[in-house]
Amino acid sequence: MKYLLLINTPSPDSAEERPGGEPTVEEFMAFDKAVSDAGVKLDGNALDLANATTVHVRVDGDRVVTDGPFAEAREIVGGYYLIDVPDLDAALDWAARCPGARYGTVEVRTVWEPDQS
């Protein structure tokens, strides 16, 4: 099954207490190598933390575009991995190994696939 691992990091403006330090580039590179070498990585990237744009189309068709991220946000999506593993337990194991799980959170989402039967 395919799972999306959304790496959430505390907002730079957040006043929440943070764990000491933060994941290093080398830790992420090692995780990327591990997930690639295991043959489960389908895709993955870091995301720009300073820019985000949200689009909402109202019922009347008007398009509302909002720039962010927003100061009141406590967490922002900092990156993602798309993996293909046998089950949720395997996805959770990979999420726990992700360096982002120590500094922020890693949300695990099942990728919906239409019933093929």
Side-chain angles (χ1 to χ4, degrees), residues 17-92:
E17 185 176 332
R18 299 176 189 194
E22 60 185 78
T24 64
V25 171
E26 291 78 16
E27 289 174 304
F28 271 104
M29 290 174 66
F31 178 74
D32 191 81
K33 181 175 181 347
V35 76
S36 296
D37 289 350
V40 299
K41 178 184 171 186
L42 300 176
D43 196 11
N45 277 300
L47 300 175
D48 183 352
L49 297 179
N51 297 302
T53 304
T54 302
V55 176
H56 173 72
V57 179
R58 294 183 172 155
V59 175
D60 63 3
D62 283 348
R63 185 171 69 174
V64 178
V65 179
T66 308
D67 289 328
F70 308 101
E72 64 274 9
R74 296 187 323 183
E75 288 188 330
I76 52 179
V77 179
Y80 69 93
Y81 277 93
L82 178 63
I83 61 174
D84 190 357
V85 292
D87 55 36
L88 178 60
D89 287 338
L92 294 175

